Amino acid sequence: MVDKVTDPAGASTSFNFSLTDGPSNLNQGFSLTDTTLPHDSGFILPGSGYVLTETALSGWELKTATCSDNSPVNNINVSAGEVITCTFTNDQVIDAVV
């Protein structure tokens, strides 16, 4: 599962994600906001090397990207029957007026 968190909380901005794994040819694209339920990728094969990426958006800075099993988002290892939630947290960047 993938969860989106923003600061300020409740932002309606849509963030694009991609979940890929070369060996199984998996490629899922999806969008999330801070106000939507976490994305459920459905059944994926156990294994390693899953990569989860978020497309950078102007006006937002990625602060953290963590998975509940401590896998890095660029090399997620999935065991049979395991449910992993990866949370991406972004801060809105406010340009200072001079």
Side-chain angles (χ1 to χ4, degrees):
M1 302 230 295
V2 181
D3 196 17
K4 171 87 257 149
V5 176
T6 60
D7 185 12
S12 61
T13 302
S14 184
F15 294 82
N16 294 318
F17 292 86
S18 178
L19 174 63
T20 58
D21 176 43
S24 67
N25 293 319
L26 173 73
N27 189 352
Q28 291 184 10
F30 55 94
S31 297
L32 288 173
T33 70
D34 188 19
T35 59
T36 57
L37 294 174
H39 172 77
D40 184 347
S41 59
F43 177 77
I44 57 176
L45 295 174
S48 61
Y50 287 94
V51 177
L52 183 58
T53 56
E54 176 187 88
T55 303
L57 289 178
S58 178
W60 292 90
E61 178 181 329
L62 179 63
K63 295 302 280 185
T64 61
T66 59
C67 295
S68 58
D69 71 340
N70 294 318
S71 288
V73 295
N74 62 351
N75 188 20
I76 301 169
N77 300 309
V78 180
S79 300
E82 183 177 30
V83 175
I84 299 171
T85 300
C86 297
T87 303
F88 284 72
T89 303
N90 293 74
D91 287 347
Q92 190 170 24
V93 179
I94 308 292
D95 291 328
V97 177
V98 180

